[in-house]
Amino acid sequence: MVRRPSPARMTFVAALALAASTESLSTVAAAQSIVGHPEWPGGGQLFVGTCYQPIDRTPEQIRQDIAIMKAAGFTMVRMGDLSWDSFEPQEGRFTFEWFDRVLDQMHAAGIRVIVDIPGQPAPIWLHKHYPGVDIVNQNGMRMNAASRYWDNIADPDYRRLAKRLATQMLQRYAKHPAVIAVGYDNEIGNGRMSYSDADRQRFVGWLKAKYGTVAALNTAWATQRWSRRINDWSEVDLPYGEGPGPNERNLDLRRFWSDDTIGALKDLEAVRQQYAPNLPTLSNFWPYAGTKGFDFLRSYDQLSTYGAQGFYPGDPLGAAFDVMMNRGGLDTPIWFNEFTAGGGGYYGTPGRSRMWAYFGLLNAAQTFLAWTFNSHLGGEEQAIFGLIDHDSRPSWKVKEFGQMAREFARLQTLGFPRFPKPEVAIGYSYQTNWLTSPPPGPNTMQEYFKASYPDQAKAAFAPFFRDNIDAALIDIGYTAIDRYKLVVLPSAYMMDKESAAAVRRYVENGGTVVMTGYSAKVDETGKWFDTPLPGRLSDVFGLRTNEFYRADQPLRIEWNGRTLTGTDPYYEVLEPSTAQVLARFSAATGGTPAITVNRFGKGRAIYLATAAQGAFLDPLLRSLYAELRIARGPETPEGVSARTVEGRTLYVNTGTGPATVSLTGTHRDVLTGTRHDGALVLPGFGVALME
């Protein structure tokens, strides 16, 4: 739960291995899609259930637990995660019989099972037999596996044994009638970087595959600065993930560990494709974990058939944003492999889980698995409160999830789950996030980029969220953008060749793109462009923007007869060439252009000369709806989200107090049969499906 031989000979072999694995990153087949698999979960199927750890339960408790699940109407569980040493208590000695019995009982109860391959955390015996699996911190200290996910998944022995476990499990369970899907390595991404000599050798191999020569590496890393020139590969050290260090090296360090994580997942995906091609894959990844993470938005379709996540929402905007981040460019629904029930030190609030489940339905969710079924008696999560109490008595939460199961059994005949195809895309780059949030140390980055990059992206997402419009979150350098009517690039600080080419092609072919300040400042190495800014796109936007300042008073823009007042003082001085000025900053900040538009090819490129902030972005983006034929969703008051599905509108009140929705005429709530004339009053956490 969150809320994942000789030294010379070894160096040479490691370099070859890394070169081969890096090559495979670009050539490996994508994860299987649902195309050609009509038997895989799709339209007209919703699943409600729980995460279940039978390793904590006696045989009699397991029988009682499954009886509770069946009586509640649960249709799915997720099992196997966090349990490697229960399947393989000693190296090479596998014990599956206990799991067989649980699977058979689930099948008898009519409950489908996601089988998670529990590659993390690794067993203690693996650490003891193969010390390369231990984490070595950046100070050179070997760390015991004192906390979950403290495993060096780059170690060849780890990789070999994780693949062997996956092979054993999928050979055994691929055809079991209860099994519906496969997941990998719970919360992978929430690991730790390691700094052993073997890790350094793997990093050097990765660099050789990427740059080819030491000269190219020196250029990419700007090693002439501060006398950092590298004369030979043997002089390369692992950068410090916890700082200090320059941006270019930190970026490559994050990419290295990202590729390593993706490589570990591809190992498991290759096993699934060989032994369980009849099963889709979906996993509870943690790609944005601060300790390590990985670039999910440049790998999602190689690892997943469905998007999936642990769903522990805070605010509604952030919750919807996270869902779309974990969906990426997939067209399939998303699965909440872990779903909010209680929590750490939190018993739960009646009605809250049901509300968030309906909120999930609005945002393309198909599966809702409570974390967790039984409240844990021991370990780090003994104060997490699941569906049944520590004394095995069912809590009121079982009834609430049972209510969800009953209601969703009906909703799956009424157009759910949704398969939205957004017409708007927000560009998001993990690599830009890594660059703009460097580790501590002497670094001017955050003296310049003072904003939070994820918050900038949320600011671009916010108007569509409030207007109940589906918006995708994708990396435009990886996922094609030609299908979208509008692409928004908030603070796209790094503009690599792929992203720049995508923008240029999209606008030339008739697309509309909106880009904000802070964008296109550095190339793929993390170094500033030595060409006019925005780098690689100055002609597309028809301007140059090199000067920037921070106003000593709030920024103001005159827009369509209104004065808009911003919240971030950063602004850029635009020098239009072919661009037309749409709005200017107030005279107090020089009256320079604030918003420009440039016709380029068949399309247009719009530039907002300040940080992504709602005061300016909201009216700008909404002004484009009519011309681009972007239809607003249902009108709702603050705190209420809605979507229309097959002529019916689902309303979800995410607030704790009542909210009133205006209606035209008389409508009936399908969930309750109640008629409402002119207005719908939703109680706190209330939902209604109106027809």
Side-chain angles (χ1 to χ4, degrees):
M1 177 209 166
V2 176
R3 21 332 311 182
R4 60 128 284 253
S6 69
R9 171 67 177 166
M10 289 173 64
T11 302
F12 177 71
V13 172
L16 286 180
L18 254 294
S21 66
T22 304
E23 175 66 19
S24 70
L25 290 175
S26 60
T27 59
V28 71
Q32 283 178 272
S33 75
I34 61 172
V35 176
H37 290 279
E39 76 281 9
W40 288 2
Q45 290 176 284
L46 297 173
F47 303 98
V48 176
T50 188
C51 295
Y52 189 54
Q53 286 78 44
I55 56 174
D56 288 336
R57 312 295 282 168
T58 67
E60 179 56 32
Q61 287 175 320
I62 291 171
R63 286 191 289 272
Q64 293 172 357
D65 292 343
I66 294 175
I68 293 169
M69 296 178 199
K70 182 178 180 179
F74 288 3
T75 53
M76 186 178 290
V77 296
R78 171 173 167 250
M79 299 194 304
D81 56 307
L82 312 175
S83 305
W84 185 337
D85 64 2
S86 293
F87 292 113
E88 190 178 7
Q90 296 176 351
E91 182 176 357
R93 184 171 73 84
F94 294 96
T95 55
F96 292 114
E97 294 76 15
W98 65 274
F99 200 70
D100 296 345
R101 290 190 290 271
V102 181
L103 274 181
D104 291 345
Q105 291 178 73
M106 290 293 181
H107 178 58
I111 298 173
R112 307 302 300 273
V113 178
I114 302 171
V115 172
D116 253 36
I117 308 300
Q120 285 195 284
I124 294 299
W125 62 255
L126 196 153
H127 282 270
K128 298 305 181 184
H129 294 180
Y130 303 99
V133 183
D134 290 347
I135 297 292
V136 176
N137 70 17
Q138 69 178 38
N139 298 317
M141 180 181 296
R142 186 175 298 278
M143 309 292 288
N144 294 329
S147 184
R148 57 186 174 177
Y149 315 136
W150 280 22
D151 310 309
N152 187 353
I153 64 173
D155 179 75
D157 288 311
Y158 169 85
R159 292 285 187 89
R160 173 177 60 85
L161 294 170
K163 285 180 66 176
R164 186 178 69 177
L165 174 68
T167 300
Q168 292 279 335
M169 292 183 69
L170 293 182
Q171 283 181 319
R172 192 175 188 97
Y173 298 124
K175 302 296 185 181
H176 194 287
V179 178
I180 194 171
V182 178
Y184 308 136
D185 287 5
N186 179 66
E187 294 180 346
I188 192 170
N190 189 31
R192 293 282 300 272
M193 298 180 189
S194 185
Y195 298 84
S196 69
D197 184 61
D199 292 310
R200 189 195 70 80
Q201 292 181 42
R202 286 187 281 266
F203 180 59
V204 170
W206 184 88
L207 292 173
K208 287 181 178 180
K210 182 176 179 64
Y211 293 110
T213 67
V214 171
L217 176 65
N218 278 316
T219 299
W221 282 9
T223 57
Q224 77 279 2
R225 299 297 305 161
W226 313 114
S227 192
R228 288 192 178 104
R229 284 187 178 88
I230 295 168
N231 297 300
D232 183 82
W233 293 108
S234 65
E235 295 179 359
V236 175
D237 290 316
L238 268 170
Y240 290 136
E242 298 172 34
N247 300 330
E248 301 86 0
R249 296 189 186 195
N250 180 61
L251 179 59
D252 269 345
L253 178 71
R254 300 302 297 258
R255 286 168 169 161
F256 164 68
W257 283 114
S258 174
D259 282 357
D260 180 75
T261 299
I262 293 167
L265 289 168
K266 285 183 176 178
D267 281 352
L268 303 183
E269 171 59 9
V271 174
R272 184 199 65 82
Q273 290 195 16
Q274 181 176 359
Y275 296 107
N278 59 305
L279 297 174
T281 178
L282 47 96
S283 305
N284 181 30
F285 297 144
W286 199 344
Y288 40 81
T291 53
K292 193 176 179 186
F294 67 96
D295 196 342
F296 175 72
L297 289 181
R298 290 203 171 187
S299 60
Y300 64 90
D301 57 340
Q302 302 168 48
L303 309 172
S304 300
T305 309
Y306 302 81
Q309 69 176 102
F311 186 67
Y312 301 99
D315 67 287
L317 171 63
F321 184 88
D322 286 350
V323 170
M324 292 300 107
M325 278 274 286
N326 285 289
R327 190 173 187 239
L330 292 169
D331 287 327
T332 48
I334 194 160
W335 290 33
F336 295 151
N337 283 6
E338 295 180 13
F339 182 75
T340 183
Y346 168 61
Y347 193 79
T349 301
R352 183 176 181 272
S353 291
R354 178 175 176 267
M355 178 276 289
W356 282 121
Y358 275 92
F359 183 87
L361 288 181
L362 296 178
N363 290 281
Q366 182 172 25
T367 301
F368 310 82
L369 304 181
W371 185 271
T372 179
F373 184 74
N374 52 294
S375 301
H376 298 175
L377 299 179
E380 294 94 327
E381 294 190 344
Q382 61 183 259
I384 283 185
F385 300 88
L387 300 185
I388 67 171
D389 293 341
H390 291 88
D391 61 1
S392 295
R393 185 181 66 174
S395 74
W396 55 262
K397 289 173 279 188
V398 173
K399 291 184 178 180
E400 183 165 318
F401 274 76
Q403 179 184 0
M404 290 158 46
R406 291 191 302 275
E407 292 173 349
F408 286 12
R410 183 180 182 194
L411 289 177
Q412 65 186 7
T413 68
L414 301 177
F416 295 94
R418 297 182 64 231
F419 284 74
K421 294 187 181 297
E423 298 178 328
V424 175
I426 312 297
Y428 189 92
S429 165
Y430 276 86
Q431 297 184 43
T432 285
N433 190 40
W434 295 337
L435 270 175
T436 56
S437 53
N443 194 319
T444 57
M445 168 61 73
Q446 290 183 317
E447 294 177 33
Y448 169 66
F449 197 96
K450 294 180 180 293
S452 157
Y453 175 66
D455 285 349
Q456 301 275 292
K458 286 180 185 177
F461 184 77
F464 305 111
F465 171 76
R466 296 191 189 101
D467 292 340
N468 294 309
I469 297 172
D470 295 314
L473 279 158
I474 59 173
D475 187 318
I476 65 165
Y478 185 82
T479 300
I481 57 176
D482 52 307
R483 65 187 263 187
Y484 300 103
K485 294 180 178 179
L486 174 63
V487 173
V488 186
L489 304 179
S491 301
Y493 181 71
M494 187 191 79
M495 186 58 60
D496 61 13
K497 293 177 182 177
E498 295 82 3
S499 299
V503 172
R504 180 177 298 275
R505 189 167 53 246
Y506 174 72
V507 177
E508 279 182 329
N509 292 335
T512 296
V513 65
V514 175
M515 192 162 75
T516 76
Y518 283 126
S519 291
K521 306 305 183 192
V522 303
D523 66 12
E524 55 272 7
T525 69
K527 299 195 306 296
W528 278 62
F529 287 108
D530 59 2
T531 57
L533 302 175
R536 293 188 169 124
L537 294 174
S538 182
D539 60 330
V540 175
F541 285 86
L543 50 78
R544 176 180 182 271
T545 170
N546 282 43
E547 291 182 55
F548 68 91
Y549 302 96
R550 289 185 171 84
D552 57 6
Q553 54 186 304
L555 291 176
R556 290 185 173 83
I557 295 176
E558 297 300 322
W559 174 261
N560 290 339
R562 299 165 52 200
T563 299
L564 310 177
T565 302
T567 54
D568 189 309
Y570 173 88
Y571 70 100
E572 298 171 355
V573 177
L574 304 187
E575 302 174 40
S577 52
T578 57
Q580 174 189 353
V581 177
L582 297 181
R584 294 181 178 274
F585 291 116
S586 66
T589 44
T592 59
I595 304 173
T596 60
V597 60
N598 189 53
R599 293 287 174 179
F600 186 82
K602 299 177 182 178
R604 57 184 170 174
I606 300 170
Y607 199 93
L608 171 64
T610 182
Q613 48 191 303
F616 304 142
L617 261 182
D618 289 12
L620 171 59
L621 296 175
R622 285 171 174 146
S623 73
L624 302 172
Y625 289 177
E627 183 179 353
L628 295 177
R629 297 183 180 179
I630 296 172
R632 286 187 184 229
E635 290 192 21
T636 54
E638 187 71 23
V640 176
S641 293
R643 294 291 191 278
T644 298
V645 180
E646 295 188 355
R648 307 174 188 88
T649 301
L650 177 61
Y651 295 95
V652 179
N653 180 11
T654 61
T656 57
T660 301
V661 177
S662 296
L663 302 174
T664 302
T666 301
H667 296 256
R668 185 179 73 92
D669 181 0
V670 174
L671 299 176
T672 64
T674 306
R675 294 188 176 276
H676 299 265
D677 187 14
L680 166 67
V681 179
L682 289 168
F685 295 159
V687 302
L689 180 62
M690 306 302 290
E691 65 176 6

